Amino acid sequence: LKADGSIVAWGNNGYEITIVPAPNADFIGIAGGEDHSLGLKADGSIVAWGDNHYGQTNVPPPNTGFVAIAAGNAHSLGLKADGSIIAWGCGLPFNYGQCNVPSPNTAFIAISGGYWHSLGLRADGTIVAWGDNFSGQTNVPAPNTGFVAIAAGYDQSLGLKSDGSIVAWGDNHHGQTNVPAPNGS
């Protein structure tokens, strides 16, 4: 994302994921899924392009009022200004519940899309996780408080605490949840 609001894309162009739809202007955010991309416009709308086999580029109407975006494998997430999350994509055979935002769908301030799971950070510092849980990536460790940022990976999840420490959970076959010491301030 350039300072002028345009997006520069490169790499594998399968599904035309490096071809940003015109007009390539007024973007304030970007997100990349496995084979699709999302761009958040200054007017609060989302532009989506690339693979759409599972509906991940079909932004549901009304396409307005978004403040953040995230992309997973074959699903997309949009955070609305009112703190609710809109999720789309998730067509079969990859529907593991990653688009089923748990109730109450309110007070979210951040979102992240993993491979087949999703994360939402609430204003009270708690994390809500849903979707595929084969590796425990949606089991937020206790105490589920004091988080200020989130990130979702393939089958793992991460949360940054207000004290500067990182909490990681889920798949650890390659050490991806082993946070190196010192962890925190």
Side-chain angles (χ1 to χ4, degrees):
L1 178 63
K2 295 180 78 173
D4 68 0
S6 65
I7 296 172
V8 178
W10 61 94
N12 182 341
N13 197 33
Y15 302 107
E16 298 185 345
I17 59 175
T18 64
I19 301 173
V20 181
N24 185 355
D26 301 320
F27 287 102
I28 60 170
I30 55 175
E34 180 166 348
D35 288 323
H36 74 290
S37 300
L38 304 174
L40 177 62
K41 292 276 197 166
D43 67 2
S45 65
I46 297 172
V47 177
W49 63 97
D51 181 18
N52 195 37
H53 282 99
Y54 310 105
Q56 64 267 42
T57 65
N58 294 339
V59 182
N63 186 357
T64 60
F66 290 101
V67 295
I69 52 176
N73 171 36
H75 71 290
S76 301
L77 303 164
L79 177 62
K80 292 276 198 166
D82 68 2
S84 65
I85 297 171
I86 307 297
W88 64 96
C90 307
L92 295 174
F94 300 115
N95 187 349
Y96 293 92
Q98 66 270 38
C99 288
N100 302 335
V101 183
S103 293
N105 185 356
T106 59
F108 288 103
I109 59 170
I111 52 177
S112 187
Y115 200 69
W116 291 328
H117 73 290
S118 301
L119 302 176
L121 176 63
R122 289 192 188 272
D124 67 1
T126 61
I127 296 173
V128 179
W130 63 97
D132 179 40
N133 195 37
F134 182 77
S135 299
Q137 64 268 38
T138 64
N139 296 336
V140 183
N144 185 358
T145 60
F147 289 101
V148 296
I150 53 174
Y154 185 87
D155 278 338
Q156 73 277 356
S157 301
L158 302 117
L160 175 65
K161 293 267 194 171
S162 58
D163 67 2
S165 64
I166 297 170
V167 179
W169 63 97
D171 184 30
N172 195 37
H173 285 98
H174 303 285
Q176 61 268 45
T177 63
N178 296 337
V179 181
N183 184 11
S185 50

